[in-house]
Amino acid sequence: MQRPRFLPDNMTLLLLGVVLTASFFPARDHVAAFFDQLSVWMIALLFFMHGAKLSREAVISGLTHWRLHLLVLSITFVAFPIMGLVLKPVVLPFLTPDLYIGILFLCMLPSTVQSSIAFTSVAKGNVSGAVCSASASNLTGIFLTPLLVSLLLKTSGGSSSSLDGMLKIVVQLLLPFVAGQLARPLLQAWITKHSQVLKMVDQSSILLVVFVAFSEAVVQGLWSQVPIVMLLSILAISALMLGMMMMLTIWLSRRLGFSKEDEITIVFCGSKKSLASGVPMAKVLFSSSSVGLVLLPLMLFHQLQLMVCAVLAQRYAKR
């Protein structure tokens, strides 16, 4: 039986199911503490497996196309945060302070990896460039995101110090990634053969962290703070930001003389934000009472970017 086109992807349906479960049956007390500790180990396992999967050749080869990667990194970690700050007077009247912090946090995150590469492939762009650029974005984000959070949110009381945040990121994310890289010669064949295992760990760790975060948020009164009008406002703001960044990436890539294949890579790597990286980083950088609200804009933006990029990739493919 063919899947109806109006249905979102499976991950989105699972996320929706987790949010609904946490809304009606939030984890409390000892159960919440158990899931919280479990999520820490799941995230460490996730980054270990990503480290084992990513070839060193891909990382090294990325250095040869430095103009493309420099542009993507500049859009991801400079243009996006500036846009978040510039939009503050416009969006803050429609959001709570924690939700605006979520918008700004979204702007500081690295690009996606899997979906950026997949959409670049569908659109017949520079796939090897997308692999290197998205990977570089995520590795750089381990250091830049907590630094940006500290610099841009220090007056909002929304995060810990940059040094503390970076140390936590290094211990919980970077060290497992490096361990995976070191173990790659032993695990490469197994991971290639069992690629679905990585996907399962990827999705289950995100779902677990979202469940823990939303359980805490629901106990703190999340849905009394976020009415339907505010949810629609977040969607509208996400659409505005995504549209602005897509137009900027297209304009810059053409202005700077990149090929059409490189333009595709820049658009899909530069305009997207990673839920897989954002969820564990939010857990490390923000208090448990605010993580649910901080993650809500990212979850909505993530779904919107997948829908828009799917359409855009098909249009590029038909060029």
Side-chain angles (χ1 to χ4, degrees):
M1 182 177 178
Q2 189 175 5
R3 183 188 181 92
R5 288 191 173 185
F6 62 84
L7 275 181
D9 61 278
N10 290 335
M11 185 60 180
T12 300
L13 293 175
L14 288 171
L15 277 172
L16 179 60
V18 165
V19 170
L20 289 174
T21 303
S23 299
F24 290 103
F25 308 103
R28 302 173 185 267
D29 304 326
H30 298 299
V31 176
F34 169 77
F35 280 127
D36 186 54
Q37 288 300 312
L38 179 60
S39 67
V40 172
W41 289 103
M42 287 290 292
I43 290 167
L45 176 61
L46 168 66
F47 275 78
F48 174 83
M49 295 187 70
H50 274 294
K53 180 184 178 183
L54 182 64
S55 69
R56 293 169 207 176
E57 292 78 10
V59 177
I60 294 171
S61 67
L63 298 175
T64 61
H65 204 346
W66 63 269
R67 288 180 68 244
L68 184 149
H69 306 316
L70 182 60
L71 179 57
V72 170
L73 290 173
S74 298
I75 293 168
T76 302
F77 295 112
V78 179
F80 248 111
I82 289 174
M83 178 183 64
L85 291 172
V86 169
L87 289 177
K88 181 177 181 179
V90 178
V91 306
L92 198 54
F94 302 97
L95 306 175
T96 65
D98 278 340
L99 286 173
Y100 172 70
I101 289 175
I103 292 288
L104 203 51
F105 173 66
L106 181 159
C107 293
M108 304 175 207
L109 288 172
S111 176
T112 60
V113 178
Q114 292 95 332
S115 57
S116 291
I117 297 168
F119 285 129
T120 300
S121 177
V122 170
K124 301 177 182 177
N126 183 350
V127 176
S128 61
V131 171
C132 299
S133 191
S135 302
S137 177
N138 274 259
L139 290 174
T140 307
I142 290 177
F143 300 100
L144 278 185
T145 296
L147 181 61
L148 288 170
V149 166
S150 178
L151 291 174
L152 301 184
L153 298 181
K154 61 183 179 180
T155 59
S156 304
S159 69
S160 55
S161 69
S162 61
L163 180 59
D164 183 48
M166 289 175 76
L167 286 175
K168 288 182 178 178
I169 292 289
V170 166
V171 171
Q172 295 187 27
L173 306 184
L174 182 60
L175 288 184
F177 183 90
V178 172
Q181 278 278 291
L182 294 175
R184 176 174 166 77
L186 300 175
L187 299 177
Q188 180 180 357
W190 187 88
I191 287 181
T192 302
K193 185 178 180 180
H194 300 87
S195 59
Q196 287 300 313
V197 174
L198 178 58
K199 182 178 180 181
M200 183 181 69
V201 173
D202 197 341
Q203 294 185 349
S204 59
S205 60
I206 293 172
L207 294 172
L208 182 59
V209 173
V210 169
F211 176 73
V212 172
F214 268 82
S215 291
E216 175 70 22
V218 168
V219 171
Q220 297 290 331
L222 169 67
W223 298 121
S224 62
Q225 303 174 49
V226 187
I228 185 65
V229 174
M230 199 168 290
L231 284 174
L232 294 176
S233 298
I234 297 172
L235 274 174
I237 294 165
S238 297
L240 174 64
M241 293 194 304
L242 182 61
M244 290 173 63
M245 280 301 128
M246 283 191 158
M247 288 189 289
L248 178 64
T249 51
I250 291 172
W251 182 79
L252 283 175
S253 59
R254 294 177 181 177
R255 181 77 175 178
L256 295 174
F258 285 96
S259 66
K260 181 62 69 174
E261 289 75 17
D262 286 345
E263 175 190 319
I264 292 169
T265 300
I266 293 165
V267 170
F268 288 125
C269 292
S271 65
K272 299 166 84 248
K273 292 296 182 176
S274 174
L275 182 69
S277 296
V279 169
M281 284 185 179
K283 179 177 172 56
V284 172
L285 295 171
F286 296 94
S287 65
S288 58
S289 60
S290 63
V291 169
L293 283 170
V294 169
L295 285 177
L296 189 57
L298 175 59
M299 292 174 62
L300 295 177
F301 185 90
H302 175 78
Q303 176 57 28
L304 185 64
Q305 72 183 8
L306 291 180
M307 295 168 62
V308 172
C309 288
V311 175
L312 185 60
Q314 293 295 335
R315 295 192 63 177
Y316 268 122
K318 294 176 181 178
R319 70 186 187 279

